[in-house]
Amino acid sequence: MTEQIETLLPGRRRRLWRWLRRIGIVFGVLLLTAAILDRLFPLPLPKPDGGSTVVLARDGTPLRAFADSDGVWRYPVTVDTVSPLYLTALMGYEDRWFYRHPGVNPYALARGLAGGLLHGRIVSGGSTLTMQVARIIEPIPHTFGGKFIQILRALQLEAHLSKRQILELYLNHAPFGGPIQGVEAASWAYLGKPAAQLSRAEAALLAVLPQAPSRLRPDRHPQAARAARDKVLGRLRDEGIWSAAQVRAARIEPVVARSLRAPLSAALLAERLHREQPRARRITTTIDADLQRAAEDRVSDYLSRLPRHTTAALLVVDNATHEARVYLGTSDFADPDRHGYVDMVQAPRSPGSTLKPFLYGLALDDGLITSESLLVDAPQDFDGYQPGNFDEAFSGPVGVAEALQRSLNVPAVDVLDRVGPNRFVARLAAGGVDLGLPAGAKPNLSIILGGAATTLENLVGAYSAFADRGIAAPPRYTPQQPLQPRRMLSPGAAWIIRDILAHNPADVEGAPLAGAVNRHAAVAWKTGTSYGYRDAWAIGVTDQFTIGVWIGRPDGTPSPGQYGAVTALPLLFRIADMLPVRGAAVRFAQPASVRAQVICWPLGGTQADTDPAQCRQRRTAWVLDGAVPPTFAERGLGAWSAGLATLRVDGKGRRLSATCRGQGEHVERVARWPALASPWLDADDRAASALPPLAPGCPADSLDDAEPIRIAGIADGTRLRRAPNSSEPLRVTLRALGASGNVQWLLDGRLQGTTQDAHSILLQLGQPGGHTITALSARGAWSSLRVDVAAP
């Protein structure tokens, strides 16, 4: 066919055709050769899912970077996420014709070749950005042969990739000194800012740095770095890319670089997310970088005053989105003495008393209590389980709000016994709090005092229900993590409990110094301490945030004297103080299901429905769904069981038993306090609730089951003094006469021990001054006396 065409052409055109045919053959051979070489020597492009990983705050600030297998730090970027000033400086200085040449700039190459022949070595490579990328992705020697290979690789890059893809290879893999690769990693490492925010001076500095990263590192050689930067600025001015005024302003800017270091903030969260997404190269979290750094500084400063091995965990969640804004799994990630590698946000620990708000909230939903229902803080026996309070003292009759605010143990166990441990654990699980129990153990009453395990993460998620109408949700750590709301309490119960926790008075034992709580009136808070001082907790809820603090030792070693109210609570308030306030308060309004109602003690009914003579104390309570339950009935039998006693009495006010009759017989009603509360009542309340004596000749009735007891061994009002020249403390031996069964002995309201029947007990009297000794039987009978210890 070609020969036929050739015979039809005149002589001159025939010769031209032969030349074109030969060129085509050569070009075809070259293309075939290029295709074969391309197949035999494919581009060694970096794997798209390989390399280092960077975990970012919500604004793009790196929190922590994970080096690749070669120890290189690289933060992935695109052309669109880099400052246009940097791209301008890079193109203007390195390759103005980048978007026009096929990978090789013949003019620049010829200039570099001439210089090499003149000096006998390569002094100006004439490399385009594409050629530089070729050297970045593959080690190529700086020789004439290496230059030829570099040219071929550049052409190969242009054949396979777009200009944008080639440029992004440079942006992400150019060397910037040490283990730093890519402009984003360099910008953060040297300048502490993203590459999207570079100034002209900074853009010029980073544009020239890859030419000689070891010699021009601004953290080690600031003068050399400045000279190189100014050279770039001068060329950009000479080329008319930037104006002389812009260059003058840029040259004034000093070269200030911080020491090269990888970011290490929210380190344990970053490690957690990297472990969950091992192939992700860029993980964006919900963390607020500024709040995270401020919180880390405050925690570090606070921990410096505590014992050496103590650490802390902190979690702050935005109530509107349930996104975590601060995540601190340890106070010092790099400190092995503090077990900094252990994430205490996720570590199962005993929650102490932090579950009590949910118990009282569930009891409200069940209609068992109001916010001021009468509970009894006194020694009690729950089928062999005898809980005490943290300070070993008892307070007698208390309202639900006071019991929760003061974190009293016995009332909480009493309420849990009536709600049911199994049901309580199931409700917590439904709300996102899974309790870990010892192997083979079943839910029991000790759960409410910390006899199980949960995590700070679970507690913060659950407490957020008090800011969101009873809806709890696990904290979210990435924007992609789905919201998983769960109903924990009704809106009314959540509102009442939060109101109680938000009005914890400043003089409650264990609270901060007087007046401190008033500054945090918007914070509803609860503390907790696990057995043996192993864990100190403080959880707080504001309109906008839920804050969780844990302090202790990850290895479980006790920290005597460190407990929630004095250790964790002050730190919680410090964190609350630094959190931003956005606009007006957004606390959800009081639900229609909640209303204030005046109730009466000891019976528990409303004032309107209670005889004034039987309303010994009035309390304004929050009532849920109109339910005003009576005071809990006492366990077991005894003459002093709580409730309204209806009695037949004669004309002299003496009690008539079932078979008795008397002159002037009539009915009287007596409002009685729970028997265990009796030692704490004043004389008027005791007298008002006392049963009339039996009329002569009447047989005993069940109301006399609790026989009176008295304390033997010392007389009421006795004054005692320690023996002269004796260093031994004062001790007295006492018995409870007339008692049967267990007898609890209290000294100034603090439990000292238990005796059986009329067996004796040895009590040690401490400081000089007045002391009250009380013997309290399980059936409600009690006796009390006062003694005075003289100063030595």
Side-chain angles (χ1 to χ4, degrees):
M1 181 66 178
T2 56
E3 294 176 354
Q4 294 175 352
I5 295 174
E6 186 175 330
T7 58
L8 297 176
L9 296 173
R12 179 179 293 180
R13 293 184 178 180
R14 187 181 300 123
R15 287 192 299 272
L16 179 60
W17 170 255
R18 288 173 181 170
W19 275 106
L20 290 174
R21 189 176 65 179
R22 289 170 185 167
I23 291 172
I25 292 171
V26 172
F27 188 68
V29 171
L30 289 175
L31 286 178
L32 179 61
T33 302
I36 293 172
L37 291 175
D38 184 64
R39 183 64 61 89
L40 293 176
F41 303 99
L43 282 170
L45 295 174
K47 295 180 180 179
D49 62 344
S52 58
T53 295
V54 59
V55 180
L56 307 170
R58 62 200 299 250
D59 64 352
T61 302
L63 297 174
R64 184 180 179 186
F66 295 86
D68 64 11
S69 56
D70 297 323
V72 172
W73 306 97
R74 187 185 307 113
Y75 306 165
V77 291
T78 65
V79 172
D80 299 328
T81 58
V82 174
S83 169
L85 294 175
Y86 173 75
L87 297 177
T88 299
L90 179 66
M91 300 293 183
Y93 185 72
E94 292 284 2
D95 192 352
R96 286 192 298 150
W97 305 99
F98 174 72
Y99 284 104
R100 300 179 187 178
H101 61 63
V104 177
N105 187 332
Y107 171 75
L109 196 60
R111 184 184 60 196
L113 180 61
L117 292 174
L118 182 64
H119 294 88
R121 58 186 176 86
I122 297 176
V123 294
S124 175
S127 296
T128 63
L129 277 176
T130 308
M131 293 173 67
Q132 293 182 45
V133 169
R135 193 180 295 279
I136 287 172
I137 65 174
E138 180 181 28
I140 299 175
H142 289 270
T143 62
F144 287 106
K147 180 62 67 174
F148 179 70
I149 296 173
Q150 187 181 12
I151 291 171
L152 293 179
R153 283 299 195 192
L155 295 173
Q156 193 177 10
L157 280 167
E158 294 280 351
H160 282 276
L161 303 178
S162 68
K163 289 290 187 179
R164 180 186 178 92
Q165 290 172 315
I166 294 170
L167 181 56
E168 287 184 353
L169 280 175
Y170 183 89
L171 296 178
N172 284 290
H173 295 273
F176 282 87
I180 303 300
Q181 285 189 6
V183 64
E184 184 75 1
S187 184
W188 279 110
Y190 293 121
L191 306 174
K193 63 194 304 185
Q197 299 176 8
L198 296 175
S199 67
R200 283 185 170 82
E202 293 164 340
L205 173 65
L206 295 186
V208 73
L209 185 54
Q211 283 195 351
S214 297
R215 183 171 55 85
L216 300 179
R217 276 181 54 168
D219 60 326
R220 294 181 178 176
H221 310 289
Q223 296 304 320
R226 179 168 191 147
R229 180 203 69 179
D230 290 348
K231 180 181 178 182
V232 175
L233 292 171
R235 180 177 297 181
L236 295 173
R237 178 200 57 205
D238 296 342
E239 297 290 345
I241 297 173
W242 287 344
S243 69
Q246 290 172 331
V247 170
R248 280 196 304 271
R251 280 181 166 171
I252 295 174
E253 190 173 318
V255 173
V256 179
R258 59 184 188 175
S259 299
L260 189 63
R261 65 181 185 274
L264 198 64
S265 189
L268 289 172
L269 173 63
E271 185 174 291
R272 172 180 178 176
L273 295 176
H274 181 46
R275 187 169 56 249
E276 294 172 355
Q277 306 176 50
R279 294 184 176 276
R281 302 280 71 89
R282 191 180 182 95
I283 302 173
T284 301
T285 71
T286 63
I287 297 300
D288 185 302
D290 293 336
L291 287 180
Q292 179 73 27
R293 285 192 294 267
E296 289 176 355
D297 290 343
R298 293 201 178 200
V299 170
S300 178
D301 176 68
Y302 187 78
L303 264 290
S304 65
R305 309 170 191 180
L306 296 179
R308 174 72 184 87
H309 294 82
T310 305
T311 190
L314 171 67
L315 184 60
V316 180
V317 170
D318 189 316
N319 295 328
T321 61
H322 293 276
E323 292 179 346
R325 297 290 179 245
V326 175
Y327 186 112
L328 195 64
T330 178
S331 60
D332 192 344
F333 178 71
D335 190 347
D337 289 340
R338 298 181 190 267
H339 296 80
Y341 50 85
V342 180
D343 187 354
M344 298 309 298
V345 170
Q346 295 187 89
R349 306 291 290 200
S350 165
S353 296
T354 58
L355 300 180
K356 289 175 181 175
F358 303 106
L359 171 64
Y360 288 113
L362 179 56
L364 281 164
D365 277 333
D366 286 349
L368 294 177
I369 59 172
T370 69
S371 68
E372 288 296 334
S373 289
L374 171 61
L375 302 174
V376 180
D377 180 37
Q380 297 193 49
D381 188 306
F382 301 89
D383 294 328
Y385 180 50
Q386 300 178 353
N389 286 320
F390 182 77
D391 59 1
E392 298 183 350
F394 297 93
S395 302
V398 294
V400 165
E402 182 183 356
L404 176 56
Q405 290 168 344
R406 296 178 58 192
S407 199
L408 300 176
N409 289 342
V410 176
V413 173
D414 187 11
V415 174
L416 179 59
D417 187 42
R418 298 170 195 275
V419 168
N422 286 301
R423 184 162 172 271
F424 179 58
V425 169
R427 176 61 70 89
L428 286 177
V433 180
D434 293 316
L435 295 182
L437 297 171
K442 295 181 179 180
N444 55 63
L445 297 179
S446 69
I447 286 172
I448 201 59
L449 306 186
T454 190
T455 65
L456 179 62
E457 181 176 74
N458 283 346
L459 285 175
V460 170
Y463 267 77
S464 65
F466 297 121
D468 194 14
R469 301 182 61 83
I471 301 294
R476 301 168 60 212
Y477 303 118
T478 66
Q480 297 77 29
Q481 188 174 344
L483 180 64
Q484 298 175 310
R486 301 178 178 183
R487 171 65 66 186
M488 176 69 79
L489 299 169
S490 71
W495 189 93
I496 292 172
I497 296 300
R498 180 176 173 183
D499 184 77
I500 291 172
L501 297 178
H503 291 86
N504 206 341
D507 59 353
V508 170
E509 185 173 354
L513 297 176
V517 176
N518 295 335
R519 295 188 297 109
H520 310 281
V523 182
W525 55 271
K526 182 72 185 74
T527 61
T529 308
S530 67
Y531 178 77
Y533 300 96
R534 289 174 170 82
D535 308 273
W537 302 85
I539 317 291
V541 180
T542 71
D543 290 336
Q544 297 166 359
F545 299 99
T546 299
I547 311 159
V549 173
W550 172 90
I551 295 179
R553 291 183 53 166
D555 59 5
T557 301
S559 301
Q562 304 298 327
Y563 52 95
V566 300
T567 305
L569 185 60
L571 178 57
L572 182 143
F573 286 150
R574 290 190 181 196
I575 299 302
D577 279 342
M578 79 175 199
L579 296 176
V581 177
R582 299 189 300 268
V586 294
R587 180 184 178 190
F588 72 88
Q590 178 179 331
S593 59
V594 177
R595 61 186 177 88
Q597 187 84 35
V598 178
I599 67 169
C600 291
W601 283 9
L603 299 179
T606 65
Q607 181 181 11
D609 297 330
T610 304
D611 187 320
Q614 298 160 5
C615 190
R616 297 300 306 170
Q617 292 187 27
R618 294 167 180 79
R619 300 288 181 103
T620 301
W622 291 120
V623 173
L624 180 61
D625 295 323
V628 184
T631 300
F632 287 153
E634 288 193 89
R635 294 172 178 80
L637 300 176
W640 291 96
S641 60
L644 183 63
T646 301
L647 308 172
R648 292 186 305 111
V649 297
D650 61 18
K652 296 182 179 181
R654 296 173 298 189
R655 190 170 83 249
L656 301 173
S657 55
T659 59
C660 268
R661 295 291 183 267
Q663 187 175 2
E665 180 178 330
H666 61 281
V667 173
E668 285 189 0
R669 290 179 174 84
V670 178
R672 293 183 295 167
W673 293 79
L676 295 177
S678 299
W680 286 270
L681 299 178
D682 60 30
D684 289 340
D685 283 333
R686 279 201 297 268
S689 62
L691 291 176
L694 274 172
C698 286
D701 54 22
S702 61
L703 300 181
D704 281 330
D705 281 350
E707 296 292 342
I709 62 175
R710 66 180 181 87
I711 298 174
I714 196 171
D716 186 25
T718 299
R719 183 175 178 82
L720 302 172
R721 187 186 301 275
R722 197 168 59 194
N725 301 321
S726 173
S727 60
E728 293 295 322
L730 266 174
R731 294 184 176 90
V732 293
T733 301
L734 305 173
R735 290 189 303 157
L737 300 181
S740 60
N742 288 338
V743 177
Q744 307 271 4
W745 291 87
L746 289 78
L747 177 63
D748 298 327
R750 296 177 182 271
L751 183 65
Q752 304 297 306
T754 304
T755 59
Q756 184 72 21
D757 300 329
H759 292 176
S760 62
I761 187 172
L762 181 65
L763 295 183
Q764 178 175 305
L765 303 179
Q767 299 298 320
H771 297 278
T772 300
I773 300 172
T774 304
L776 181 62
S777 77
R779 298 175 68 87
W782 64 278
S783 181
S784 182
L785 56 81
R786 182 83 175 169
V787 297
D788 185 66
V789 176

